């Protein structure tokens, strides 16, 4: 997934991320907007799971 794809789908993925990761705040999402690495890092801090696992989940959200 590239930065262009993430930015293009940002409004869609924000809603999915909020459902999947209830601990995320609007500020978290605003801070990470369009940056997959930043987003994965923020989610990891909030939920305490492996980055690879989170990255796969986020990329899967974008495919569907």
């Amino acid at each position: 997934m590239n930065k262009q794809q993430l930015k293009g789908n940002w409004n869609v993925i924000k809603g999915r991320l909020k459902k999947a990761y209830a601990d995320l705040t609007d500020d978290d999402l605003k801070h990470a907007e369009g940056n997959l690495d930043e987003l994965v890092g923020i989610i990891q801090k909030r939920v305490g799971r492996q980055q690879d696992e989170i990255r796969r989940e986020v990329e899967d959200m974008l495919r569907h």
Side-chain angles (χ1 to χ4, degrees):
M1 160 147 331
N2 65 38
K3 193 172 187 175
Q4 191 80 14
Q5 290 172 308
L6 185 59
K7 280 191 170 198
N9 294 314
W10 188 246
N11 287 330
V12 173
I13 197 169
K14 273 194 316 188
R16 292 177 184 171
L17 287 167
K18 284 183 172 184
K19 285 181 183 179
Y21 306 104
D23 293 337
L24 285 178
T25 66
D26 288 334
D27 286 340
D28 291 337
L29 294 172
K30 186 175 182 178
H31 182 73
E33 185 171 350
N35 186 328
L36 183 59
D37 292 331
E38 187 76 25
L39 177 62
V40 169
I42 289 170
I43 293 171
Q44 183 185 28
K45 282 184 191 177
R46 296 284 187 209
V47 301
R49 293 187 5 227
Q50 295 290 324
Q51 282 189 0
D52 292 342
E53 181 182 353
I54 294 167
R55 182 179 296 275
R56 281 192 304 271
E57 289 174 0
V58 170
E59 288 177 347
D60 189 49
M61 284 180 205
L62 287 171
R63 282 190 282 267
H64 294 99

mmCIF file of all heavy atoms in Angstrom, residues 26-64:
data_model
loop_
_atom_site.group_PDB
_atom_site.id
_atom_site.type_symbol
_atom_site.label_atom_id
_atom_site.label_comp_id
_atom_site.label_asym_id
_atom_site.label_seq_id
_atom_site.Cartn_x
_atom_site.Cartn_y
_atom_site.Cartn_z
ATOM 1 N N ASP A 26 -9.751 10.829 17.822
ATOM 2 C CA ASP A 26 -9.730 11.638 16.603
ATOM 3 C C ASP A 26 -8.368 12.298 16.419
ATOM 4 O O ASP A 26 -7.891 12.440 15.298
ATOM 5 C CB ASP A 26 -10.829 12.700 16.649
ATOM 6 C CG ASP A 26 -12.223 12.106 16.482
ATOM 7 O OD1 ASP A 26 -12.352 11.033 15.857
ATOM 8 O OD2 ASP A 26 -13.184 12.722 16.971
ATOM 9 N N ASP A 27 -7.753 12.701 17.512
ATOM 10 C CA ASP A 27 -6.417 13.297 17.441
ATOM 11 C C ASP A 27 -5.391 12.300 16.912
ATOM 12 O O ASP A 27 -4.516 12.663 16.130
ATOM 13 C CB ASP A 27 -5.963 13.817 18.802
ATOM 14 C CG ASP A 27 -6.670 15.094 19.212
ATOM 15 O OD1 ASP A 27 -7.218 15.785 18.327
ATOM 16 O OD2 ASP A 27 -6.667 15.401 20.413
ATOM 17 N N ASP A 28 -5.498 11.030 17.339
ATOM 18 C CA ASP A 28 -4.596 9.993 16.830
ATOM 19 C C ASP A 28 -4.726 9.886 15.312
ATOM 20 O O ASP A 28 -3.732 9.849 14.594
ATOM 21 C CB ASP A 28 -4.932 8.621 17.432
ATOM 22 C CG ASP A 28 -4.612 8.503 18.900
ATOM 23 O OD1 ASP A 28 -3.757 9.262 19.399
ATOM 24 O OD2 ASP A 28 -5.234 7.640 19.555
ATOM 25 N N LEU A 29 -5.956 9.837 14.854
ATOM 26 C CA LEU A 29 -6.198 9.675 13.425
ATOM 27 C C LEU A 29 -5.768 10.911 12.642
ATOM 28 O O LEU A 29 -5.232 10.796 11.542
ATOM 29 C CB LEU A 29 -7.670 9.349 13.171
ATOM 30 C CG LEU A 29 -8.115 8.001 13.730
ATOM 31 C CD1 LEU A 29 -9.617 7.844 13.615
ATOM 32 C CD2 LEU A 29 -7.412 6.862 13.021
ATOM 33 N N LYS A 30 -5.974 12.065 13.204
ATOM 34 C CA LYS A 30 -5.559 13.297 12.542
ATOM 35 C C LYS A 30 -4.032 13.347 12.438
ATOM 36 O O LYS A 30 -3.479 13.735 11.408
ATOM 37 C CB LYS A 30 -6.076 14.512 13.300
ATOM 38 C CG LYS A 30 -5.814 15.811 12.611
ATOM 39 C CD LYS A 30 -6.455 16.970 13.346
ATOM 40 C CE LYS A 30 -6.217 18.264 12.601
ATOM 41 N NZ LYS A 30 -6.845 19.396 13.248
ATOM 42 N N HIS A 31 -3.364 12.936 13.486
ATOM 43 C CA HIS A 31 -1.899 12.944 13.508
ATOM 44 C C HIS A 31 -1.311 11.990 12.474
ATOM 45 O O HIS A 31 -0.293 12.282 11.851
ATOM 46 C CB HIS A 31 -1.401 12.592 14.913
ATOM 47 C CG HIS A 31 0.078 12.622 15.055
ATOM 48 N ND1 HIS A 31 0.790 13.793 15.094
ATOM 49 C CD2 HIS A 31 0.985 11.631 15.132
ATOM 50 C CE1 HIS A 31 2.079 13.512 15.203
ATOM 51 N NE2 HIS A 31 2.219 12.201 15.228
ATOM 52 N N ALA A 32 -1.949 10.849 12.288
ATOM 53 C CA ALA A 32 -1.418 9.810 11.399
ATOM 54 C C ALA A 32 -1.925 9.923 9.969
ATOM 55 O O ALA A 32 -1.497 9.150 9.113
ATOM 56 C CB ALA A 32 -1.794 8.438 11.949
ATOM 57 N N GLU A 33 -2.783 10.856 9.687
ATOM 58 C CA GLU A 33 -3.449 10.942 8.386
ATOM 59 C C GLU A 33 -2.485 10.749 7.212
ATOM 60 O O GLU A 33 -1.518 11.485 7.048
ATOM 61 C CB GLU A 33 -4.139 12.285 8.244
ATOM 62 C CG GLU A 33 -4.947 12.397 6.977
ATOM 63 C CD GLU A 33 -5.808 13.650 6.951
ATOM 64 O OE1 GLU A 33 -5.933 14.337 7.968
ATOM 65 O OE2 GLU A 33 -6.356 13.920 5.889
ATOM 66 N N GLY A 34 -2.783 9.724 6.421
ATOM 67 C CA GLY A 34 -2.021 9.465 5.217
ATOM 68 C C GLY A 34 -0.664 8.805 5.418
ATOM 69 O O GLY A 34 0.068 8.604 4.467
ATOM 70 N N ASN A 35 -0.313 8.452 6.632
ATOM 71 C CA ASN A 35 1.001 7.856 6.907
ATOM 72 C C ASN A 35 0.803 6.509 7.586
ATOM 73 O O ASN A 35 0.524 6.444 8.778
ATOM 74 C CB ASN A 35 1.822 8.795 7.787
ATOM 75 C CG ASN A 35 3.235 8.312 7.978
ATOM 76 O OD1 ASN A 35 3.503 7.124 7.998
ATOM 77 N ND2 ASN A 35 4.144 9.256 8.151
ATOM 78 N N LEU A 36 0.954 5.445 6.835
ATOM 79 C CA LEU A 36 0.706 4.098 7.347
ATOM 80 C C LEU A 36 1.622 3.745 8.503
ATOM 81 O O LEU A 36 1.171 3.177 9.504
ATOM 82 C CB LEU A 36 0.836 3.070 6.228
ATOM 83 C CG LEU A 36 0.525 1.628 6.596
ATOM 84 C CD1 LEU A 36 -0.907 1.493 7.109
ATOM 85 C CD2 LEU A 36 0.748 0.714 5.407
ATOM 86 N N ASP A 37 2.890 4.083 8.403
ATOM 87 C CA ASP A 37 3.832 3.755 9.479
ATOM 88 C C ASP A 37 3.443 4.454 10.778
ATOM 89 O O ASP A 37 3.474 3.853 11.859
ATOM 90 C CB ASP A 37 5.260 4.130 9.097
ATOM 91 C CG ASP A 37 5.808 3.273 7.969
ATOM 92 O OD1 ASP A 37 5.381 2.108 7.854
ATOM 93 O OD2 ASP A 37 6.653 3.763 7.216
ATOM 94 N N GLU A 38 3.086 5.706 10.670
ATOM 95 C CA GLU A 38 2.665 6.472 11.846
ATOM 96 C C GLU A 38 1.386 5.879 12.437
ATOM 97 O O GLU A 38 1.256 5.703 13.648
ATOM 98 C CB GLU A 38 2.427 7.932 11.455
ATOM 99 C CG GLU A 38 2.143 8.836 12.616
ATOM 100 C CD GLU A 38 3.379 9.190 13.409
ATOM 101 O OE1 GLU A 38 4.485 9.160 12.856
ATOM 102 O OE2 GLU A 38 3.230 9.484 14.601
ATOM 103 N N LEU A 39 0.444 5.543 11.582
ATOM 104 C CA LEU A 39 -0.821 4.953 12.012
ATOM 105 C C LEU A 39 -0.600 3.642 12.750
ATOM 106 O O LEU A 39 -1.140 3.424 13.835
ATOM 107 C CB LEU A 39 -1.728 4.735 10.803
ATOM 108 C CG LEU A 39 -3.061 4.056 11.061
ATOM 109 C CD1 LEU A 39 -3.925 4.884 12.010
ATOM 110 C CD2 LEU A 39 -3.789 3.822 9.746
ATOM 111 N N VAL A 40 0.233 2.773 12.185
ATOM 112 C CA VAL A 40 0.520 1.480 12.802
ATOM 113 C C VAL A 40 1.172 1.685 14.170
ATOM 114 O O VAL A 40 0.830 1.012 15.140
ATOM 115 C CB VAL A 40 1.390 0.605 11.874
ATOM 116 C CG1 VAL A 40 1.912 -0.618 12.601
ATOM 117 C CG2 VAL A 40 0.598 0.189 10.642
ATOM 118 N N GLY A 41 2.090 2.630 14.263
ATOM 119 C CA GLY A 41 2.748 2.915 15.537
ATOM 120 C C GLY A 41 1.778 3.400 16.597
ATOM 121 O O GLY A 41 1.843 2.985 17.762
ATOM 122 N N ILE A 42 0.859 4.261 16.203
ATOM 123 C CA ILE A 42 -0.133 4.783 17.155
ATOM 124 C C ILE A 42 -1.055 3.661 17.620
ATOM 125 O O ILE A 42 -1.338 3.533 18.817
ATOM 126 C CB ILE A 42 -0.934 5.933 16.519
ATOM 127 C CG1 ILE A 42 -0.041 7.168 16.369
ATOM 128 C CG2 ILE A 42 -2.172 6.263 17.348
ATOM 129 C CD1 ILE A 42 -0.648 8.291 15.547
ATOM 130 N N ILE A 43 -1.508 2.842 16.690
ATOM 131 C CA ILE A 43 -2.386 1.728 17.068
ATOM 132 C C ILE A 43 -1.644 0.775 17.995
ATOM 133 O O ILE A 43 -2.203 0.306 18.990
ATOM 134 C CB ILE A 43 -2.915 0.991 15.821
ATOM 135 C CG1 ILE A 43 -3.849 1.908 15.022
ATOM 136 C CG2 ILE A 43 -3.640 -0.291 16.219
ATOM 137 C CD1 ILE A 43 -4.247 1.348 13.668
ATOM 138 N N GLN A 44 -0.391 0.504 17.699
ATOM 139 C CA GLN A 44 0.392 -0.395 18.535
ATOM 140 C C GLN A 44 0.473 0.134 19.965
ATOM 141 O O GLN A 44 0.329 -0.629 20.922
ATOM 142 C CB GLN A 44 1.786 -0.587 17.968
ATOM 143 C CG GLN A 44 2.598 -1.578 18.776
ATOM 144 C CD GLN A 44 4.024 -1.700 18.304
ATOM 145 O OE1 GLN A 44 4.583 -0.756 17.757
ATOM 146 N NE2 GLN A 44 4.604 -2.869 18.508
ATOM 147 N N LYS A 45 0.696 1.419 20.126
ATOM 148 C CA LYS A 45 0.737 2.004 21.474
ATOM 149 C C LYS A 45 -0.588 1.829 22.195
ATOM 150 O O LYS A 45 -0.625 1.570 23.387
ATOM 151 C CB LYS A 45 1.037 3.503 21.389
ATOM 152 C CG LYS A 45 2.465 3.840 21.151
ATOM 153 C CD LYS A 45 2.620 5.346 21.200
ATOM 154 C CE LYS A 45 3.959 5.802 20.707
ATOM 155 N NZ LYS A 45 4.067 7.270 20.694
ATOM 156 N N ARG A 46 -1.674 1.995 21.472
ATOM 157 C CA ARG A 46 -3.005 1.921 22.091
ATOM 158 C C ARG A 46 -3.422 0.503 22.449
ATOM 159 O O ARG A 46 -4.051 0.288 23.475
ATOM 160 C CB ARG A 46 -4.064 2.523 21.163
ATOM 161 C CG ARG A 46 -3.892 3.988 20.900
ATOM 162 C CD ARG A 46 -4.344 4.784 22.073
ATOM 163 N NE ARG A 46 -4.311 6.196 21.721
ATOM 164 C CZ ARG A 46 -4.100 7.136 22.592
ATOM 165 N NH1 ARG A 46 -3.913 6.848 23.853
ATOM 166 N NH2 ARG A 46 -4.077 8.387 22.210
ATOM 167 N N VAL A 47 -3.109 -0.459 21.583
ATOM 168 C CA VAL A 47 -3.618 -1.817 21.801
ATOM 169 C C VAL A 47 -2.558 -2.826 22.206
ATOM 170 O O VAL A 47 -2.886 -3.933 22.622
ATOM 171 C CB VAL A 47 -4.401 -2.339 20.570
ATOM 172 C CG1 VAL A 47 -5.578 -1.446 20.249
ATOM 173 C CG2 VAL A 47 -3.504 -2.488 19.361
ATOM 174 N N GLY A 48 -1.280 -2.473 22.049
ATOM 175 C CA GLY A 48 -0.206 -3.339 22.507
ATOM 176 C C GLY A 48 -0.025 -4.626 21.725
ATOM 177 O O GLY A 48 0.353 -5.646 22.284
ATOM 178 N N ARG A 49 -0.283 -4.564 20.418
ATOM 179 C CA ARG A 49 -0.092 -5.752 19.583
ATOM 180 C C ARG A 49 1.067 -5.543 18.626
ATOM 181 O O ARG A 49 1.593 -4.451 18.495
ATOM 182 C CB ARG A 49 -1.380 -6.041 18.817
ATOM 183 C CG ARG A 49 -2.479 -6.452 19.785
ATOM 184 C CD ARG A 49 -3.775 -6.940 19.191
ATOM 185 N NE ARG A 49 -3.864 -7.088 17.789
ATOM 186 C CZ ARG A 49 -4.892 -6.627 17.063
ATOM 187 N NH1 ARG A 49 -5.881 -5.977 17.638
ATOM 188 N NH2 ARG A 49 -4.926 -6.812 15.771
ATOM 189 N N GLN A 50 1.464 -6.589 17.931
ATOM 190 C CA GLN A 50 2.591 -6.555 17.008
ATOM 191 C C GLN A 50 2.298 -5.665 15.794
ATOM 192 O O GLN A 50 1.187 -5.680 15.262
ATOM 193 C CB GLN A 50 2.912 -7.963 16.514
ATOM 194 C CG GLN A 50 3.390 -8.894 17.587
ATOM 195 C CD GLN A 50 4.776 -8.504 18.073
ATOM 196 O OE1 GLN A 50 5.620 -8.062 17.305
ATOM 197 N NE2 GLN A 50 5.008 -8.674 19.355
ATOM 198 N N GLN A 51 3.318 -4.933 15.344
ATOM 199 C CA GLN A 51 3.152 -4.041 14.200
ATOM 200 C C GLN A 51 2.767 -4.794 12.931
ATOM 201 O O GLN A 51 1.930 -4.313 12.165
ATOM 202 C CB GLN A 51 4.436 -3.254 13.947
ATOM 203 C CG GLN A 51 4.620 -2.109 14.892
ATOM 204 C CD GLN A 51 5.781 -1.211 14.478
ATOM 205 O OE1 GLN A 51 6.449 -1.451 13.481
ATOM 206 N NE2 GLN A 51 6.007 -0.183 15.265
ATOM 207 N N ASP A 52 3.359 -5.954 12.692
ATOM 208 C CA ASP A 52 3.041 -6.722 11.486
ATOM 209 C C ASP A 52 1.570 -7.109 11.445
ATOM 210 O O ASP A 52 0.933 -7.047 10.395
ATOM 211 C CB ASP A 52 3.899 -7.985 11.393
ATOM 212 C CG ASP A 52 5.365 -7.683 11.156
ATOM 213 O OD1 ASP A 52 5.676 -6.550 10.722
ATOM 214 O OD2 ASP A 52 6.193 -8.564 11.409
ATOM 215 N N GLU A 53 1.048 -7.519 12.576
ATOM 216 C CA GLU A 53 -0.354 -7.907 12.673
ATOM 217 C C GLU A 53 -1.263 -6.708 12.404
ATOM 218 O O GLU A 53 -2.237 -6.808 11.650
ATOM 219 C CB GLU A 53 -0.618 -8.463 14.078
ATOM 220 C CG GLU A 53 -2.031 -8.924 14.318
ATOM 221 C CD GLU A 53 -2.237 -9.425 15.736
ATOM 222 O OE1 GLU A 53 -1.266 -9.545 16.499
ATOM 223 O OE2 GLU A 53 -3.401 -9.681 16.077
ATOM 224 N N ILE A 54 -0.943 -5.580 12.995
ATOM 225 C CA ILE A 54 -1.739 -4.368 12.811
ATOM 226 C C ILE A 54 -1.676 -3.919 11.356
ATOM 227 O O ILE A 54 -2.699 -3.577 10.754
ATOM 228 C CB ILE A 54 -1.258 -3.246 13.756
ATOM 229 C CG1 ILE A 54 -1.521 -3.649 15.206
ATOM 230 C CG2 ILE A 54 -1.939 -1.929 13.422
ATOM 231 C CD1 ILE A 54 -0.814 -2.778 16.228
ATOM 232 N N ARG A 55 -0.493 -3.921 10.772
ATOM 233 C CA ARG A 55 -0.328 -3.505 9.375
ATOM 234 C C ARG A 55 -1.187 -4.364 8.449
ATOM 235 O O ARG A 55 -1.862 -3.849 7.562
ATOM 236 C CB ARG A 55 1.132 -3.583 8.961
ATOM 237 C CG ARG A 55 1.388 -3.106 7.536
ATOM 238 C CD ARG A 55 2.858 -3.166 7.167
ATOM 239 N NE ARG A 55 3.648 -2.264 7.974
ATOM 240 C CZ ARG A 55 3.825 -0.965 7.703
ATOM 241 N NH1 ARG A 55 3.258 -0.445 6.650
ATOM 242 N NH2 ARG A 55 4.559 -0.211 8.482
ATOM 243 N N ARG A 56 -1.185 -5.685 8.661
ATOM 244 C CA ARG A 56 -2.017 -6.579 7.835
ATOM 245 C C ARG A 56 -3.494 -6.240 7.977
ATOM 246 O O ARG A 56 -4.234 -6.216 6.991
ATOM 247 C CB ARG A 56 -1.778 -8.039 8.212
ATOM 248 C CG ARG A 56 -0.519 -8.625 7.620
ATOM 249 C CD ARG A 56 -0.470 -10.140 7.787
ATOM 250 N NE ARG A 56 -0.586 -10.562 9.180
ATOM 251 C CZ ARG A 56 0.436 -10.719 10.027
ATOM 252 N NH1 ARG A 56 1.657 -10.479 9.610
ATOM 253 N NH2 ARG A 56 0.235 -11.126 11.249
ATOM 254 N N GLU A 57 -3.937 -5.988 9.204
ATOM 255 C CA GLU A 57 -5.342 -5.657 9.431
ATOM 256 C C GLU A 57 -5.730 -4.352 8.737
ATOM 257 O O GLU A 57 -6.780 -4.265 8.116
ATOM 258 C CB GLU A 57 -5.624 -5.540 10.930
ATOM 259 C CG GLU A 57 -5.589 -6.855 11.652
ATOM 260 C CD GLU A 57 -5.730 -6.719 13.159
ATOM 261 O OE1 GLU A 57 -5.860 -5.581 13.654
ATOM 262 O OE2 GLU A 57 -5.716 -7.766 13.835
ATOM 263 N N VAL A 58 -4.880 -3.338 8.845
ATOM 264 C CA VAL A 58 -5.176 -2.045 8.232
ATOM 265 C C VAL A 58 -5.188 -2.187 6.708
ATOM 266 O O VAL A 58 -6.092 -1.676 6.046
ATOM 267 C CB VAL A 58 -4.161 -0.970 8.691
ATOM 268 C CG1 VAL A 58 -4.317 0.299 7.883
ATOM 269 C CG2 VAL A 58 -4.328 -0.695 10.183
ATOM 270 N N GLU A 59 -4.213 -2.879 6.167
ATOM 271 C CA GLU A 59 -4.184 -3.074 4.708
ATOM 272 C C GLU A 59 -5.390 -3.866 4.230
ATOM 273 O O GLU A 59 -5.941 -3.594 3.172
ATOM 274 C CB GLU A 59 -2.871 -3.728 4.294
ATOM 275 C CG GLU A 59 -1.698 -2.789 4.406
ATOM 276 C CD GLU A 59 -0.366 -3.421 4.065
ATOM 277 O OE1 GLU A 59 -0.289 -4.661 3.962
ATOM 278 O OE2 GLU A 59 0.613 -2.657 3.927
ATOM 279 N N ASP A 60 -5.828 -4.826 5.031
ATOM 280 C CA ASP A 60 -7.021 -5.590 4.686
ATOM 281 C C ASP A 60 -8.257 -4.694 4.685
ATOM 282 O O ASP A 60 -9.138 -4.827 3.833
ATOM 283 C CB ASP A 60 -7.202 -6.758 5.661
ATOM 284 C CG ASP A 60 -8.283 -7.709 5.231
ATOM 285 O OD1 ASP A 60 -8.258 -8.112 4.052
ATOM 286 O OD2 ASP A 60 -9.147 -8.034 6.062
ATOM 287 N N MET A 61 -8.337 -3.763 5.621
ATOM 288 C CA MET A 61 -9.459 -2.819 5.665
ATOM 289 C C MET A 61 -9.525 -2.003 4.374
ATOM 290 O O MET A 61 -10.603 -1.699 3.894
ATOM 291 C CB MET A 61 -9.311 -1.858 6.842
ATOM 292 C CG MET A 61 -9.635 -2.433 8.169
ATOM 293 S SD MET A 61 -9.405 -1.169 9.431
ATOM 294 C CE MET A 61 -9.088 -2.197 10.835
ATOM 295 N N LEU A 62 -8.387 -1.641 3.847
ATOM 296 C CA LEU A 62 -8.352 -0.838 2.634
ATOM 297 C C LEU A 62 -8.747 -1.616 1.397
ATOM 298 O O LEU A 62 -9.247 -1.050 0.434
ATOM 299 C CB LEU A 62 -6.959 -0.242 2.443
ATOM 300 C CG LEU A 62 -6.629 0.874 3.401
ATOM 301 C CD1 LEU A 62 -5.172 1.247 3.288
ATOM 302 C CD2 LEU A 62 -7.498 2.087 3.153
ATOM 303 N N ARG A 63 -8.522 -2.909 1.435
ATOM 304 C CA ARG A 63 -8.887 -3.739 0.273
ATOM 305 C C ARG A 63 -10.389 -4.001 0.203
ATOM 306 O O ARG A 63 -10.901 -4.335 -0.842
ATOM 307 C CB ARG A 63 -8.140 -5.062 0.314
ATOM 308 C CG ARG A 63 -6.699 -4.951 -0.133
ATOM 309 C CD ARG A 63 -6.102 -6.324 -0.286
ATOM 310 N NE ARG A 63 -5.747 -6.913 0.982
ATOM 311 C CZ ARG A 63 -4.538 -6.827 1.532
ATOM 312 N NH1 ARG A 63 -3.597 -6.164 0.928
ATOM 313 N NH2 ARG A 63 -4.283 -7.386 2.691
ATOM 314 N N HIS A 64 -11.080 -3.883 1.299
ATOM 315 C CA HIS A 64 -12.513 -4.223 1.320
ATOM 316 C C HIS A 64 -13.371 -3.016 1.416
ATOM 317 O O HIS A 64 -13.386 -2.082 1.862
ATOM 318 C CB HIS A 64 -12.807 -5.162 2.478
ATOM 319 C CG HIS A 64 -12.141 -6.486 2.294
ATOM 320 N ND1 HIS A 64 -10.962 -6.779 2.917
ATOM 321 C CD2 HIS A 64 -12.440 -7.548 1.540
ATOM 322 C CE1 HIS A 64 -10.585 -7.998 2.572
ATOM 323 N NE2 HIS A 64 -11.464 -8.475 1.733
#
